Each structure stands twice: as structure tokens, then as C-alpha cells.
Amino acid sequence: MKILVCISKTPDTTAKIAFTDNNTKFAENGVQWIINPYDEWYALVRAIELKEKDPGTVIHLVTVGEADTEPIIRKALALGGDEAIRVNASGADSFFIASQIAEIARQGGYDLIFTGKETIDYNSAAVGGMIAELLQLPYISLAVKFDLEGSTVTATREIEGGEEIVQASLPLVVSCQKGMAEQRIPNMKGIMSARTKPLKVVEPVAVDPLTTIAGFETPPPKAGIKMIPADNPAELIRLLHEEAKLI
Amino acid sequence: MSVLIFIDHSDGAVKKASLEAISYGAKIAEQLGLTAEGALLGNLNEDIASLGKYGVKKIYHVADVALDHPDPQVFTEVIAQIAEKSGAKLIVFSNNLHGKAIAPRVSARLKAGLVAGAVALPDTSNGFIVKKNVFSGKAFAFISINTDIKIISLNPNAYPVAVTEGAAAEVVPFTAAVGEPRIKVTAVNKVTGEIPLGEAEIVVSGGRGLKGPENWNILEDLAAALGAATACSRPVADADWRPHHEHVGQTGLAIAPNLYIAIGISGAIQHLAGVNRSKVIAVINKDPEAPFFKAADYGIVGDAFEIVPKLTEAVKALKG
Ligand SMILES: Cc1cc2nc3c(=O)[nH]c(=O)nc-3n(C[C@H](O)[C@H](O)[C@H](O)COP(=O)(O)OP(=O)(O)OC[C@H]3O[C@@H](n4cnc5c(N)ncnc54)[C@H](O)[C@@H]3O)c2cc1C
Ligand SMILES: Nc1ncnc2c1ncn2[C@@H]1O[C@H](COP(=O)(O)O)[C@@H](O)[C@H]1O
């Protein structure tokens, strides 16, 4: 069994979001970078659990990013995974990223490709579906549970107002969210071994991005809060009704 | 040439988020001088032609009931065929769970640039630029789509449903040659009668300040009186006080209701990331220093156990 886990780098969840160069670039100064939480907590940890159950499993990590993504990928290797591949390109377009990962997947012959639900910076939830289409594979999006018996997959995916239990056969692509696994902290042994695990750098294949970022905007600050005395909560309902006209 | 809108439905009814997408697509069609057309896969309990009142002129209808469980791969195949027939220049989805499963596949199939999570009409004055939500609600990006065919997934609650003078839509039966789904749905667990959180106009949400799951009745009473959906902070879902799908925030669901009422939630930056696109935020917290007050429009400093039942009473009195 060979699993490919897609790992992306995102600003820490507490990072201040600001822009420079006339609002065309994210202000990276002083920003801490982390593994996208969905990729780390759910996709990667579930892959590691599958390997713990079936030690014959091989886990490769892939990231599309420049050299500054390497600390992130080493951290992911410290959690688990056998080797990593970095496609040396900065990618802001989902189709460009998906095309690079699909190319790696074609060469590696993986049985299973895991992505996170979405990146917490671009929030597109698009890369997984695109990889699946490029490889003509089935796609289980927003999985909250995933089990494997031989090559038969049983998974639970979120649908509007509930969930669906589905069955499929390998190979396929899965996007992972909460429920798949629990967050783990890397241990010393993992951190030590991550230093010597292979991290292959490959050049991107030529693909034209379908979209480009023209600029950013931060939302205007709130106008100010209206406080309502605790001894008259009904006043809040009156304001919501008469002033805000929402109820 | 058309703006083609994917019409998403469940239990025989078109979803509200999809009605928003139809209204949005129809408006863009009007702006660009294209025809608004729809793609409906599976069956409705209502008259399909009547969707014309939201501005859609023609609906390609694939009646095959096997399509009632949307399989992204099969749906992509069908939508690609309809897009060709309809001469689609723009395809509009709702950025709900079905949209997230299908739109990226259609994008890769047609090599059509996708903006997922649009929050406003595109700016077509110079190219084709779509405003979308990024950094989990902390910012917006303007994305330029550079391909001939374009795809937009519209965030739920970002564009109002608009009823037009439009006549009944022309319904065109469409047969698509498709393969068998490679993903088999073996069971569906649906909570019926609940308002889907992503679509709700009012959301009442609780945090660790409520102390335990046994106290959620006060919050549920308020939600019921308001016709609101319920949500919670992450630690509350992690502790299994509430189901996981109610968890909002950076690592949960991002929502944008008209009114978000936060009860006993401190307002950590990761929580705000999922709710700060709400139009109005009201906060009830016993700590005047709780960071949530800085992001709110209305606030009450006080004990939720005393205040929330009084809010419920006031709502009931108002609604008679
Ligand atoms: C990477 C990462 C991602 C995260 N993602 C999310 C996310 O998606 N969503 C999320 O919610 N959190 C997320 N968190 C957690 C977040 O940082 C906070 O810890 C969490 O939101 C706190 O939840 P809370 O407000 O319910 O609890 P607390 O912080 O414990 O706050 C409880 C509040 O209740 C008030 N209170 C207590 N008793 C009463 C009473 N009787 N009446 C009224 N008020 C009362 C207190 O004053 C306090 O403000 C994330 C954290 C990390 C590190
Ligand atoms: N640059 C990248 N390199 C590797 N994987 C990525 C990259 N960007 C996105 N992904 C994967 O695709 C998922 C969805 O991302 P997105 O479509 O950008 O929301 C993420 O959770 C990652 O697993």
C-alpha cells in the first residue's frame, strides 16, 4: 500500500493578516508558519494510523512550495511518513498545484491520496477534487471517517444536514476533516529520524495557472459595540428587532 | 452563450443556497448579456419550470433518479456535457458541500478557472475579477480568472435570493451517457427538521461558559424561539458536548449568518475566523474583558444562565 499525503504551509492560526505592496502581497514579516491543520491533524495522522495497522504501508508526503516550506515538511516527517517530495514552485492557483501533485502521483503509483479539507489561508477546498479529476479517480470529499479492508474502502463523508456512509475501491482521492483522527505531537525519536528521511526536490511540470490573485482587502473594523445592561436583556431583543431589523 | 447554474437540491427541494446561486447567476447573465440556464440532475417535488421566477430561462433536466446521490465523478461528466450543449461561458455553483465536491472536478475537466468562496458579483469592467473570502474570514482576495470558461462557487448567505418578474423556465429533458458511480452510498444519516448551519440566517452558539451539555436546553430554547440554527466552539465539540458538525471557527465550519449570538464563548482568534463574516454579532459573556466584545455589535456582560432564558421570553413576547 502506498499513500500520498498532500501537505501545505499556512500562517499560524493567530497570525496577523495584513498586506503590503499596495495590497497585492501577504505581509510575511514575523509570521509563524505551520502545517495546514487539516493536512496535519487529519490527513497525515490517519495515514500514520493506517501504517501502524499495516506496517507494509509506505507514506510519501508531497508539497508544492519553495525552499522555505522545508521546515514544515520536516515537521510533518517527524510526525510520520517515509519520505517527502517538494515540487519547487510557488503556487497560488489550485489547478497549478493539483496538476503538480497529479504528476507526482502518476509517477509514484499511489493507492490512496489524502488531502486536507481546505487550506486555512486560501480556503478553496479545491485541490483534492482537481487531483481526482486529473487522474480520473473517485473522490471522497470531506471525509470524517476512513477505514480500509484489503482494497475496499468504507468512509463517512459530510453532506448537508448529515452524513453518508460510502464504499469504494482503491485507488482514490480523499479530503480529510475533523473526525478522521486526533492531533498528535511529534516525539523525540520522530524528530531525530525526520532529519535523515529523504526529501526529494523536483522541478514543476509546465502548467498555466487558470487564475491569478489581483489583490487583497481586509474587512473594515466594526463600528463599535452597543452594551446592554444585564438587568434588562429584553432590550437586546428590542434592538435586534427595531434597529438591526434581524428578528 | 450562457451562464449555467448548477441547481442543488435535497429531499426534493432546491436548497436556499442554490436559490442564491441562481439569483446570482441570473444577475451576472444580465450584466454580460448572456442567458441564464440551469442544470438540474435528479428530481424535485416542486414544479421545475417555476424556478424561472429566480431569473433562470432554461433548465436542462436529467431525470435519472440514480443521480439523487450526487457522485462528483458522474456529476462532473453530466455537467460538462450540459455546459457544452448550453454554450456555458460561466458555471455557477453554491460553495456548499456538494459544490465543494463537484466544482473543482468540473474546473479540472474543462480547464476552466475556479473561484471557490465568492462573496460578491464579479467585476467585469477590466477582465473578470471575483472577490472571495480568504484567511478564514480575516481578509478578502480579488481573483482574476484567465480562462475562456469560468467557474464561481458562491458562498452561502453572501448574495440574496431575488424573485424576478421572470416567466416560467423552459425545461429541456437531457440524457447523458454516464458510467456507474464508483462510490457506492450504503447509508445516509440525516438530521431532519434542523436548519443546516451553513444556510441559517440566525445562529445561536455556545461555548465552554455553558459548563456542560445538560445546560444546552437554554440555548436550544432561544434558538427555537428565533428559528435559528445552533453552533458551538471547538472545545465544546471536542468534549462531545455537541456534535462535531456544529463546531465553527478556523478549523470548523465558516459561517456568515445575518445574526450570530455567542453565549459563553471567549472569542479566541480561531473562533472569530469562522464567524466574523456574520452581519451582526451579539455577545453574552460574564467577563467584560472577553475578547469577543471587540468583534461584536451588541453585548451583555452577565451570567448566561440568567440572561438567556430572559432573551427567550422576550423573543416569544415579540413574536406573540
Ligand atoms: C490551531 C487551532 C485551531 C483552533 N480552531 C478553533 C475553531 O475552529 N473554533 C473554535 O471555537 N476554537 C478553535 N480553537 C480554540 C480557541 O483557541 C479557543 O481555545 C476556543 O475557541 C475557546 O472556546 P470557548 O470560548 O468555548 O472556551 P473558553 O475560552 O474557556 O471561554 C469560555 C467563556 O465563557 C465565559 N463564561 C463562563 N461562565 C459564564 C457564564 N455563566 N455566563 C456567561 N459567560 C460565561 C468566560 O468568561 C469565557 O469567556 C483553535 C485553537 C488552535 C490552537
Ligand atoms: N501547495 C500545496 N502543496 C501540497 N498540497 C497542497 C497545496 N495546496 C493545497 N494542498 C492540499 O490541498 C488541500 C486543499 O487545499 P485548497 O484547495 O487550497 O483549500 C490542502 O488541505 C492540502 O492537503
Side-chain angles (χ1 to χ4, degrees):
Chain A
M1 247 277 284
K2 271 183 91 175
I3 309 178
L4 184 66
V5 181
C6 302
I7 300 286
S8 54
K9 150 183 167 259
T10 52
D12 177 65
T13 54
T14 57
K16 180 169 162 37
I17 305 302
F19 304 97
T20 60
D21 293 32
N22 203 13
N23 275 336
T24 56
K25 274 209 187 81
F26 174 60
E28 299 199 354
N29 240 342
V31 167
Q32 282 270 27
W33 296 92
I34 58 169
I35 310 172
N36 184 42
Y38 292 106
D39 309 353
E40 177 186 340
W41 303 349
Y42 309 124
L44 178 55
V45 175
R46 188 66 193 131
I48 294 166
E49 289 172 355
L50 293 172
K51 185 179 166 101
E52 285 165 353
K53 209 174 122 199
D54 171 11
T57 302
V58 173
I59 302 175
H60 287 180
L61 315 181
V62 63
T63 191
V64 180
E66 290 177 337
D68 62 355
T69 41
E70 293 203 354
I72 294 305
I73 206 99
R74 287 278 174 216
K75 185 177 168 216
L77 284 170
L79 279 160
D82 300 293
E83 60 177 79
I85 303 150
R86 177 171 71 82
V87 181
N88 187 28
S90 73
D93 175 58
S94 313
F95 181 75
F96 176 88
I97 294 167
S99 302
Q100 303 306 328
I101 296 173
E103 183 59 28
I104 299 293
R106 274 186 210 108
Q107 291 170 11
Y110 297 94
D111 303 290
L112 189 55
I113 302 173
F114 273 168
T115 73
K117 168 193 169 189
E118 65 184 49
T119 48
I120 62 166
D121 46 6
Y122 291 107
N123 305 109
S124 293
V127 168
M130 288 180 174
I131 297 171
E133 184 61 26
L134 291 167
L135 298 172
Q136 283 301 300
L137 290 177
Y139 174 47
I140 301 177
S141 73
L142 305 174
V144 295
K145 255 200 201 111
F146 180 93
D147 286 298
L148 199 57
E149 212 51 70
S151 69
T152 305
V153 169
T154 307
T156 306
R157 71 177 167 204
E158 193 188 358
I159 56 167
E160 242 82 35
E163 49 187 41
E164 256 174 17
I165 301 176
V166 298
Q167 264 185 1
S169 302
L170 297 179
L172 48 70
V173 182
V174 182
S175 83
C176 307
Q177 63 167 335
K178 188 169 179 175
M180 285 286 274
E182 296 286 338
Q183 182 180 6
R184 287 189 183 183
I185 312 285
N187 58 28
M188 211 49 209
K189 186 164 153 261
I191 294 167
M192 297 306 287
S193 69
R195 294 193 188 151
T196 54
K197 285 180 183 171
L199 195 170
K200 228 171 37 192
V201 180
V202 301
E203 289 307 315
V205 288
V207 174
D208 285 330
L210 309 180
T211 60
T212 44
I213 297 177
F216 294 97
E217 183 183 280
T218 37
K222 286 265 177 196
I225 185 167
K226 206 171 245 185
M227 296 305 294
I228 292 112
D231 57 8
N232 188 15
E235 175 65 4
L236 173 62
I237 300 303
R238 190 191 69 79
L239 287 169
L240 290 173
H241 176 60
E242 288 175 16
E243 184 179 84
K245 299 199 169 28
L246 291 173
I247 56 179
Chain B
M1 282 189 299
S2 75
V3 172
L4 181 68
I5 304 137
F6 172 66
I7 301 175
D8 190 18
H9 53 98
S10 74
D11 304 320
V14 178
K15 292 179 189 161
K16 177 174 157 262
S18 191
L19 295 179
E20 293 165 357
I22 298 173
S23 305
Y24 176 86
K27 184 75 195 173
I28 301 174
E30 191 188 305
Q31 269 181 14
L32 297 178
L34 303 173
T35 1
E37 303 193 340
L40 174 69
L41 287 67
N43 291 300
L44 299 182
N45 294 336
E46 56 196 305
D47 174 33
I48 298 170
S50 72
L51 293 173
K53 67 172 175 284
Y54 302 107
V56 59
K57 300 282 187 269
K58 187 195 259 188
I59 296 173
Y60 294 94
H61 178 215
V62 187
D64 187 344
V65 283
L67 298 173
D68 284 342
H69 286 300
D71 178 79
Q73 202 166 8
V74 172
F75 267 48
T76 297
E77 191 57 53
V78 177
I79 292 165
Q81 291 177 26
I82 295 177
E84 192 182 342
K85 170 94 183 174
S86 142
K89 285 283 150 200
L90 170 68
I91 309 176
V92 176
F93 291 85
S94 164
N95 194 35
N96 62 6
L97 301 175
H98 283 154
K100 285 179 183 170
I102 302 165
R105 282 200 88 119
V106 176
S107 166
R109 156 65 60 96
L110 301 176
K111 307 280 176 287
L114 163 71
V115 174
V119 294
L121 289 167
D123 175 357
T124 54
S125 60
N126 179 17
F128 194 98
I129 294 180
V130 189
K131 183 174 181 179
K132 101 179 258 300
N133 173 49
V134 287
F135 294 100
S136 308
K138 291 178 223 164
F140 300 103
F142 296 91
I143 309 288
S144 163
I145 308 184
N146 306 328
T147 50
D148 182 35
I149 302 177
K150 300 166 174 65
I151 304 183
I152 298 179
S153 292
L154 174 70
N155 262 357
N157 259 349
Y159 191 85
V161 176
V163 177
T164 66
E165 309 280 273
E170 178 195 352
V171 181
V172 183
F174 190 88
T175 28
V178 290
E180 275 290 298
R182 283 150 76 189
I183 296 179
K184 234 178 57 210
V185 177
T186 56
V188 180
N189 305 322
K190 257 194 188 169
V191 203
T192 46
E194 242 179 58
I195 303 163
L197 185 52
E199 292 190 0
E201 289 177 4
I202 304 181
V203 173
V204 179
S205 187
R208 230 165 15 192
L210 284 170
K211 307 284 187 285
E214 67 281 3
N215 297 326
W216 239 261
N217 59 331
I218 60 165
L219 192 146
E220 281 173 336
D221 289 347
L222 178 59
L226 287 166
T230 51
C232 67
S233 68
R234 181 172 153 215
V236 164
D238 282 352
D240 281 330
W241 295 0
R242 298 297 291 174
H244 284 301
H245 66 254
E246 284 198 0
H247 157 199
V248 292
Q250 187 141 24
T251 50
L253 194 66
I255 56 173
N258 294 337
L259 174 60
Y260 184 75
I261 304 181
I263 302 166
I265 305 175
S266 57
I269 190 163
Q270 296 94 354
H271 184 84
L272 295 180
V275 303
N276 56 13
R277 282 185 304 115
S278 309
K279 291 192 184 84
V280 169
I281 295 178
V283 168
I284 295 129
N285 196 303
K286 70 171 188 195
D287 173 10
E289 302 297 323
F292 222 142
F293 286 118
K294 290 203 180 65
D297 303 278
Y298 298 99
I300 303 180
V301 177
D303 183 355
F305 295 99
E306 283 167 26
I307 288 168
V308 177
K310 287 188 187 147
L311 293 176
T312 308
E313 261 172 51
V315 174
K316 284 185 180 156
L318 178 74
K319 297 202 168 179

